[in-house]
Amino acid sequence: MRITNRLAGSLLAGLLTLGMAGPALADTPATDDAQPTTPTTQTTYDARYAIPAAVPASSEAKVAQWQDMKYAMFIHWGVYSSYAGWYKGQKQEVGYPEQIKAWGHQQTWDQRIPLQGIPREEYLATAQTFEAPNFDATAWCQQAKDTGMKMLLITSKHHDGFAMWDTATTDYNFTKQSPSHRDPILELSQACQKVGIKFGLYFSNIDWEKQPEDPWTNANTLDEEGYMDYIHEQLKELLGGKYGEITELWYDMGKPNPAQSDQLRAWAHELQPNIMINSRVGNDRADFEVGWDNEMQSEQTQGPWESAVSIFHKTWGYANWDDAAATYKDTGYPDYTEEDWDHIQQVDNTTALRKAPGGAHTKTTEIVGNMFSTVALGGQFLFNVGPKFDGSYDPWDASVLKGIGDWNRAHPGILGNSRPTHFPIETWGKTMVDDSHIYLGIEKWPTDGMVTLRGAGANDITSVKLDGSDAPLTYTVEGNDLVITLPAQPDEILPVVTVTTKGAPTYVPTGLTTIGEQTTTIPATGLEKFKAPTPKTGETSFTASITSGDRVASGVRVSFDTEGFTDDYAKYKVTVGDQEVKSLTVADLKAGVGPFTLGQHATARVTLSYDNPAYALKGFGKDATVASVTVKSEKLSTPTITVAPQTVEAGKSVTVTGTGFAPSSPVSLTLHSDPVEVGTATTDDTGSFTAEVTVPAATEAGDHTVVAAAESPAAEASAPLTVTATPAPTPSADPSTEPSGQPGTEPSGQPGTEPSGQPSTEPSGQPSTEPSTQPSTEPSTQPSAEPSTQPSAVPSPSADQGRKGGKRSKGGLARTGSNALIVGACALAAAGVGTAFIRRSRRHKA
């Protein structure tokens, strides 16, 4: 079914009804100003009211490039990999295995039990066997790339203080202690460049060679004598150029003070200006947020942010607990009396899934779901798999990576040139878009076999298919929504439905509200919100989507019913389209912000956010919310123009008078059918203008249209103009034959004859009795491209076509007119539906 045809018919019928019934898009009933009303269910909005569906990347180039990676490899590899979660034959029940040097075979979380860590001499002896014969840097990088990853990030140094590069700061490093004397960091940086992926480094802020072991919280200060200098020297080695471009620096743990966090950030940026630094640098000094270990977001989140997830949540380094069932451990002490502490602790850190039937498929399904959800919500997915001590990957772990890679190759659009979207998170899953596709990740297959994507109905759709299949799926448009009928559930990890669109996908906001001169209240359910990536700090923005329909709204004021907001952290700003008011207090938000102006036939996004906060990734507060947004317009007007006289000779002037535009707004004046800009004007404080323009002398005789268009805020109106031909000049005798009223003689007095003796003629051989060209005095028999009987105020899901029919002139772009809906509907009926829809124009979108 061709959706454009169905929409065209529906819109025509709707417009004829709207033209008779008045401005039906203003769905809020008239009430007294003191009686705010909640908007009723919205009518269907056509494509002019759609906004780009993609959530844009950062305007900062290095941040946008980092966001575009989407999926990366995290590797924990060090001396701890030798123990694989066991020490002296006992399973490590407490803590991450990469911290086994401090934990040893600790069996309980009770801090009164002394740590049973591994002595330094014993740990160093293990390091001296760290030959890693199966370590192949190129193979690691290629494996990451084949999985769909665009970066490999490895532990340069973990809390144990053992450096994995050739450093002059300590002998406690791989190059010095390993029998191979290799530099794994150098080999990996070179291999990443060779394979074509980015390279990143993890760097522990704490170092158990220099600081006390405190694995309970890993919250060591960085105050030891000379400790910050020691870090600086190591950073200069890692970031100074030997290891190439470092895309990301993953600081971890410790408790630096604000000055120390500033120093850690400054050192990294000085050495690598384009590096991205994670939030564990501390004190809100980061370039991106990472949250907690294995933490997944569930709401649309304002970037840049990253979710770091390990293949087994209880370990980041390699662990092998395949045969060890979860157990209960008793501390041997009675319950604490001063706090709620149970001395019986259930530990669930088994990796037995490696030997379970279908375990690899189960884990692959889990990780693909985590990856898709993270990138669809606007984050980067950092997936950790720890290699073995010998440098090889566990075959089971490698099979999971391969399964993820197979899925990504089957669905290349997800990690390709895609962005998260403004489409709502649906019960069935989430969406992503690129330049011409909407990707629906069906995370939960619906029992009725139907999926609805709200706000997608205004797209010009060319196909809907299950990704990887050529069979088309049945779909319909219901109001603003796209409804797709699915086939039988495929035997796949996470099915994807691909909707192909003409042009970039667009979204008609689900909470779009037509405002009026009466107060309109938009409830919280009609607002779009973005969560902050900083854990438990609430939202970073609230957005209401409004429109004034076919009219211009002036003097618009918006107010926010906030709860839990304070002025303690930063002031606020409110944007309406491209208009912005800054430095607002909570009292200002409640009192009302404005005035703003809205153009015709477009959606304006009203967004509340912080104004220049100290840390842009922090939200308003976990208990802060916006209960509602109230909007009121001081004046609504319909743009109109008149042209006098209505009939004019080509080359002569006419006066164009306009009303109902936005105050102090630049207006361009264009003559159609062949569009040519004939003048400009600026409206006064009432939205009116008068301008005298000249009709180009070369204009063909016939019916034309004068279009007045303002770009920001968008407004358009048109009026007919009949152009007549310039009168032909009176023919005169050929001066070569009758120079002064005498019979044709030459100035010399000789008879005016050619050498042959024949009378003088024009080059054509005919006597020169008429001009060489004669303008037609009859009306043109060809219809103009924009007949004056067809007003161009017709709403259309494909409204750009009207501007593509005319030629582009030096004076300006093609524009089409805009009249009131009643006139537009009547003109459509008179002029013919087909022509009207072919000539429709796309309005400016706010």
Side-chain angles (χ1 to χ4, degrees):
M1 167 177 118
R2 290 303 303 274
I3 198 61
T4 50
N5 293 340
R6 199 186 72 79
L7 272 175
S10 298
L11 286 171
L12 174 60
L15 281 171
L16 292 174
T17 303
L18 291 173
M20 298 174 185
L25 289 179
D27 49 34
T28 304
T31 63
D32 184 82
D33 287 356
Q35 302 288 329
T37 60
T38 299
T40 57
T41 302
Q42 297 300 304
T43 56
T44 298
Y45 293 92
D46 63 41
R48 295 171 302 177
Y49 298 90
I51 64 171
V55 175
S58 171
S59 59
E60 187 176 353
K62 78 166 187 177
V63 179
Q65 291 170 5
W66 179 88
Q67 289 176 311
D68 187 56
M69 290 193 301
K70 298 185 181 70
Y71 180 37
M73 185 77 168
F74 201 5
I75 293 176
H76 282 66
W77 190 48
V79 179
Y80 44 81
S81 304
S82 170
Y83 298 93
W86 296 83
Y87 179 54
K88 292 185 175 180
Q90 288 186 292
K91 178 186 173 187
Q92 179 188 342
E93 298 284 3
V94 174
Y96 288 138
E98 63 274 12
Q99 300 180 33
I100 198 169
K101 181 181 185 295
W103 290 113
H105 51 71
Q106 188 79 5
Q107 302 293 298
T108 176
W109 283 102
D110 190 335
Q111 297 186 35
R112 295 170 299 180
I113 303 296
L115 290 172
Q116 303 178 56
I118 302 173
R120 183 185 188 279
E121 295 75 17
E122 184 179 340
Y123 200 74
L124 180 59
T126 302
Q128 290 169 350
T129 69
F130 200 176
E131 188 170 4
N134 296 320
F135 167 57
D136 184 334
T138 301
W140 281 17
C141 294
Q142 189 63 53
Q143 177 180 247
K145 184 175 183 179
D146 291 346
T147 306
M149 297 165 171
K150 297 180 182 178
M151 178 181 71
L152 182 147
L153 185 147
I154 187 169
T155 47
S156 63
K157 183 185 72 170
H158 209 273
H159 306 337
D160 60 7
F162 188 82
M164 293 294 291
W165 76 98
D166 184 11
T167 175
T169 63
T170 177
D171 287 345
Y172 200 58
N173 69 75
F174 187 97
T175 306
K176 179 72 173 180
Q177 302 300 331
S178 168
S180 69
H181 303 299
R182 297 164 70 179
D183 185 340
I185 301 301
L186 180 61
E187 291 182 40
L188 284 167
S189 69
Q190 293 172 342
C192 282
Q193 185 174 9
K194 174 183 176 182
V195 167
I197 61 175
K198 303 292 186 180
F199 185 52
L201 294 173
Y202 167 107
F203 185 88
S204 173
N205 296 328
I206 58 178
D207 187 320
W208 292 336
E209 280 287 285
K210 304 288 185 179
Q211 299 172 306
E213 296 175 356
D214 178 25
W216 304 104
T217 61
N218 288 316
N220 302 69
T221 65
L222 311 186
D223 298 335
E224 286 81 7
E225 181 70 25
Y227 186 67
M228 287 293 289
D229 293 334
Y230 178 68
I231 288 178
H232 191 198
E233 290 303 311
Q234 292 193 329
L235 290 176
K236 285 193 289 186
E237 290 179 345
L238 290 169
L239 308 181
K242 178 180 179 180
Y243 299 102
E245 181 181 1
I246 309 301
T247 298
E248 178 174 319
L249 182 60
W250 221 88
Y251 283 121
D252 193 26
M253 304 308 291
K255 195 176 181 180
N257 61 42
Q260 290 167 340
S261 293
D262 282 333
Q263 193 68 77
L264 292 173
R265 175 185 173 88
W267 285 337
H269 283 161
E270 287 167 5
L271 293 164
Q272 296 265 346
N274 292 324
I275 203 167
M276 291 287 287
I277 300 171
N278 76 332
S279 53
R280 295 191 185 181
V281 70
N283 298 293
D284 295 340
R285 270 38 176 199
D287 296 319
F288 69 94
E289 271 290 334
V290 70
W292 306 121
D293 293 355
N294 298 297
E295 183 179 55
M296 295 292 298
Q297 299 282 21
S298 60
E299 301 175 58
Q300 193 68 276
T301 304
Q302 198 81 6
W305 62 278
E306 182 179 77
S307 181
V309 173
S310 186
I311 189 169
F312 294 105
H313 290 186
K314 298 299 182 180
T315 178
W316 296 81
Y318 177 72
N320 183 9
W321 298 316
D322 293 356
D323 298 322
T327 60
Y328 293 90
K329 289 296 175 181
D330 192 327
T331 66
Y333 288 92
D335 294 349
Y336 283 111
T337 57
E338 67 270 20
E339 58 183 290
D340 184 16
W341 170 270
D342 190 345
H343 66 277
I344 303 294
Q345 178 79 15
Q346 182 177 8
V347 179
D348 181 14
N349 58 2
T350 179
T351 60
L353 192 62
R354 285 197 181 109
K355 292 188 176 180
H361 181 80
T362 299
K363 179 58 68 172
T364 302
T365 300
E366 174 195 328
I367 300 304
V368 166
N370 289 344
M371 178 194 69
F372 173 78
S373 182
T374 298
V375 298
L377 293 175
Q380 181 177 152
F381 187 63
L382 185 64
F383 181 47
N384 177 84
V385 184
K388 292 181 176 182
F389 189 59
D390 66 1
S392 67
Y393 269 87
D394 186 294
W396 187 93
D397 297 1
S399 73
V400 171
L401 288 169
K402 181 181 182 303
I404 300 169
D406 290 343
W407 189 90
N408 282 324
R409 280 185 289 276
H411 307 287
I414 301 303
L415 297 182
N417 182 33
S418 62
R419 290 294 304 154
T421 76
H422 289 289
F423 290 120
I425 298 171
E426 303 287 2
T427 56
W428 48 261
K430 306 178 185 74
T431 56
M432 298 193 75
V433 296
D434 61 20
D435 294 338
S436 59
H437 301 92
I438 306 172
Y439 301 105
L440 287 67
I442 313 300
E443 297 171 307
K444 182 179 180 182
W445 198 268
T447 56
D448 62 357
M450 307 284 288
V451 294
T452 298
L453 182 56
R454 289 172 287 167
N459 285 281
D460 191 351
I461 298 171
T462 60
S463 72
V464 178
K465 299 177 181 178
L466 200 61
D467 219 13
S469 170
D470 291 331
L473 300 180
T474 300
Y475 67 93
T476 59
V477 170
E478 298 180 3
N480 300 316
D481 306 334
L482 175 63
V483 182
I484 302 171
T485 301
L486 299 176
Q489 182 171 357
D491 182 17
E492 191 182 357
I493 288 172
L494 194 160
V496 174
V497 172
T498 299
V499 177
T500 303
T501 61
K502 285 186 177 179
T506 59
Y507 166 59
V508 175
T510 57
L512 182 57
T513 302
T514 304
I515 66 169
E517 294 177 349
Q518 302 79 33
T519 301
T520 300
T521 299
I522 305 170
T525 54
L527 305 179
E528 182 179 341
K529 60 184 180 180
F530 274 91
K531 182 180 175 61
T534 310
K536 299 179 176 61
T537 63
E539 276 69 39
T540 57
S541 66
F542 290 87
T543 297
S545 296
I546 61 175
T547 181
S548 55
D550 61 350
R551 295 177 290 179
V552 172
S554 304
V556 176
R557 296 189 66 84
V558 295
S559 60
F560 299 83
D561 181 10
T562 63
E563 298 174 2
F565 279 62
T566 72
D567 297 328
D568 296 341
Y569 186 65
K571 297 293 180 64
Y572 304 92
K573 65 181 178 183
V574 172
T575 59
V576 177
D578 58 359
Q579 304 159 86
E580 183 176 76
V581 178
K582 306 178 70 174
S583 194
L584 298 166
T585 65
V586 174
D588 295 331
L589 299 177
K590 290 182 178 291
V593 183
F596 303 99
T597 305
L598 305 186
Q600 292 177 292
H601 301 133
T603 293
R605 305 273 278 169
V606 180
T607 299
L608 167 62
S609 58
Y610 272 132
D611 180 15
N612 194 30
Y615 187 51
L617 300 178
K618 183 174 288 188
F620 299 132
K622 64 184 180 66
D623 298 321
T625 189
V626 173
S628 64
V629 175
T630 302
V631 189
K632 181 184 176 183
S633 174
E634 181 180 305
K635 178 184 176 183
L636 291 172
S637 58
T638 302
T640 59
I641 62 170
T642 59
V643 179
Q646 292 186 340
T647 300
V648 66
E649 181 182 307
K652 298 296 180 67
S653 297
V654 295
T655 299
V656 182
T657 302
T659 61
F661 289 78
S664 305
S665 175
V667 178
S668 64
L669 302 172
T670 308
L671 180 66
H672 292 241
S673 294
D674 277 353
V676 57
E677 189 170 300
V678 293
T680 60
T682 300
T683 62
D684 59 22
D685 56 6
T686 69
S688 303
F689 70 88
T690 299
E692 184 173 299
V693 300
T694 300
V695 176
T699 304
E700 290 185 7
D703 293 331
H704 295 265
T705 303
V706 175
V707 177
E711 291 295 329
S712 181
E716 207 170 83
S718 64
L721 177 67
T722 299
V723 178
T724 61
T726 303
T730 303
S732 60
D734 188 338
S736 66
T737 58
E738 299 183 32
S740 57
Q742 300 298 321
T745 59
E746 295 295 328
S748 63
Q750 301 301 318
T753 60
E754 296 294 328
S756 64
Q758 299 299 319
S760 175
T761 63
E762 292 295 318
S764 63
Q766 301 299 321
S768 178
T769 59
E770 291 186 357
S772 60
T773 60
Q774 177 69 32
S776 171
T777 58
E778 296 295 325
S780 172
T781 59
Q782 298 298 322
S784 67
E786 299 271 0
S788 62
T789 58
Q790 294 186 32
S792 52
V794 182
S796 164
S798 56
D800 58 329
Q801 297 180 12
R803 297 188 182 179
K804 297 177 182 176
K807 300 176 183 176
R808 185 186 299 271
S809 69
K810 184 176 181 181
L813 299 177
R815 305 181 189 276
T816 57
S818 173
N819 293 330
L821 285 173
I822 299 175
V823 177
C826 293
L828 274 175
V833 177
T835 304
F837 275 85
I838 291 173
R839 304 302 305 171
R840 290 176 301 199
S841 69
R842 183 177 302 277
R843 268 49 172 205
H844 170 74
K845 295 180 176 60

